[in-house]
Every structure is written in C-alpha cells, then in structure tokens.
Amino acid sequence: MTLLKGKNIVLGITGCIAAYKTAELIRLLVKSGANVEVIMTESATRFITPLTLSTLSQNKVYIDMFEEPENYSIDHISLADKADIIIVVPATANIIGKVANGIADDLLSSTIMAARSPVFIAPAMNTNMWNNSIVQENINKLRVKGYYFINPESGDLACGYKGDGRLRNINDIFAEVSDYFNIETPLKSKKILITIGPTREYIDPVRFITNKSSGKMGVAIAEEANRLGADVTVITSVPVSLEGIRIEMVETTSQMQEALKKHFCSADILIMAAAVADYTVKNYSDSKIKKSSSQSELTLNLAKTPDLLEQIAGIKTGNQIVIGFAAETNDLIANAKHKLESKKLDMIVANDVSRNDIGMNSDYNEVSFIYPDSKIEQLSKTTKQKVAVELMKRAIELVNKT
C-alpha cells in the first residue's frame, strides 16, 4: 500500500454506466495514501455525481474547461504537470478516439494531451463497439505510442449483451496502478536489446512480402524492461514512441541483421520478439513490376534469409542471455523445443498463432516458457502486458544464475 503514498493521481471519468465503479477505486487510492484529482466529462456527470467523488477524493472535481481557474493556473496544464500518473476509468470509445487522433476539445482530453506522465486507459463499452475495427486501430495507435491499456473483461454487459467490454475489476485496476509504482529496479545495471515487429522483403520499390506481426508483444516487453530499470534498446520495423528507450528503425531482415551486429556485443539480454521473414525475394526489381494483360501469373523466386537468432546465439558470451519466440500453428511444444535446442537458447517463449483470439495482432497471448532442461511453465490466456511481466521475471532469474 505504501507504494502510492504521496503520489498524485489524476483520474479521468467518462460517460459510461461503469462510471459508478470509480467511487470504489477512489476509496482504494486515497486509503493507500495517494492524492486523487478527478476530471469528469460532462457525460460522466449523468452517471455519478461530482459531489460523491469530491467527498471520496477530498478534492475538487474538475469538469468545465472554461471554468474560472484558481490561483491563475490553467487547469489542464496544472493537472497535467502535477500528475505522477493519469488513469482514465472507464474510458469510452469516444475518449480513446479523441486521444488517438490528437483531439483536445474538453478538459480531460486536453489534460491528456498536455501530460508528460504515463497514461493508463481502462476501456468499457458494448462488445460490438470494443471489437469495431476503428476502435481497435485507435487502441493500437495509442499502444505503440506508449499508452498503457487495462483491457476489459468478458461477461454480462449492462446493455444486455455478453462478451468483451466490461470494465476490468476495480481491484485489478488498483493493482495495475500500484504495480507501476513498484520502485524496485532489479535490471538497473543491465542492457537489454529487443527486436520488435515483422520484417519486410521487397519485391519491387512498392511491393513487399511480410507477416501479421503487430509488434504489440515486443512493445510490452520493452515497456516492462524499462520499468524494471534496464537500459533498453529496441530494433523495430513498427513505428513506436517509447519514453526513455533507444529506438533503431529497420525494415528488412538484412537491416535487422546489421542492427543486431551493432548492438548485441554490449547487451546483457537479447529478446528476439520480432517475426523475421524466413524468405526474401531472389530477384528484386529496381522498377515497379507492371501488370501485363497477357500474363495471368507472376512467379517469385524466393531465397532463405539468414537465421538471425541462430547467428546471434552462436556468438554470445558466457554471461549473455538470449531468449527467443516460437510462433507455431501445430506441434507447438515439440517445434519450440527443437528451436530452443538447435539454436542453443537460454529460454524460448512458445505461442500458438493458429488461434484468432491470441498471438499475432491480438492484445492477448497464451504462452509456454520452455528451458534447456525441458522445464515448461505455462501461462494461461492473458494480456500481452502480463506476458511481458512474467517474461521479465524469468529473464531476471536467468541473469541471476549467470
């Protein structure tokens, strides 16, 4: 509980039936010693009264962006500057869309735009809205820019539907916030190198072959490693904004290979979360290949790309840790074990990419951590942030053994 003592937490509440649950969240935060400043959207006041939240937080509740400011301070700037963390509970599709697209037309969205502190977002909405492709694109956009999401649960919704979209249990949200302020930094002296996203292999200047990897898993790992105090470098093909993390952009497998050669020698831990292309186009065309009316087919000659994981694991020193990923559609454990052994890895994370509810381009994953001594630790379906937490716990154990 002492983790939150003296912390300034700005709690944003938007117009959703789950807004009433924030009363309990405020109670838990205040009881733990946090100073809670509440910003409500106009719609949120239709679901729970500002008086209730002011009484619980023992602070003024902010609603109107154009209210006369106190002490000549502009509310959205002063609140943003004061915040150690901003959490939006519940977050509607509307506020997510605003933030994702740089819209700041009320006090809450303006405060988030002005914030330098971490922003946690706990969505709650109808299941069809949650699964809407536009909403998911907005969420993905914010994830890669470093926003933290506390994903909703699946269950009965107030609208009568059943499915994903119900606000996460308040105790879970409180735990996520508390965990963020865990100031232990077991990786403070360690350098961690992480590869993120797919690689592209160009056919001509405008076309390429690639895979479904979104980079979400790698981003979550980078954020967790950074939180644990590590000096983190990411090599990524996915545009990301990660505060305090060194970023090197690449596109092709050969570019990732060169970046790995440059950074691996100084790394204590390498986590190969990238989905590297297995094949590249053998005869790249310098000009765009034109579609011919007389030609009904186009044949591409492919050549194997270098096995980056095998190459890098083969040159590691005794104290370096190399962790790989195995994305499989069948014989998951057997194929992952073979990859672990053949490439002489310190650990491999196996996940089934044949399922639509986990793995590539999903917010969730279900993995098995496999070790050279054949020990297997399984992690049930959970968010990729939780997978990252569990992965880094095991990485720390591996480091401590060297």
Side-chain angles (χ1 to χ4, degrees), residues 50-110:
L51 178 60
T52 299
L53 304 183
S54 177
T55 303
L56 289 169
S57 67
Q58 300 170 31
N59 280 318
K60 172 186 175 180
V61 170
Y62 298 85
I63 304 168
D64 186 359
M65 186 170 179
F66 300 104
E67 182 181 359
E68 188 73 24
E70 297 178 1
N71 301 321
Y72 301 101
S73 63
I74 307 301
D75 286 342
H76 70 279
I77 301 299
S78 61
L79 289 168
D81 286 346
K82 182 190 295 186
D84 291 304
I85 186 175
I86 296 175
I87 53 176
V88 185
V89 184
T92 58
N94 185 54
I95 191 66
I96 292 170
K98 283 184 182 181
V99 178
N101 292 283
I103 298 170
D105 62 353
D106 61 11
L107 183 57
L108 179 56
S109 57
S110 296

Side-chain angles (χ1 to χ4, degrees), residues 138-158:
N138 287 332
I139 290 170
N140 293 341
K141 187 186 296 187
L142 290 174
R143 281 189 190 281
V144 299
K145 290 186 179 298
Y147 287 75
Y148 297 85
F149 275 80
I150 304 173
N151 284 344
E153 299 175 335
S154 182
D156 295 321
L157 305 177

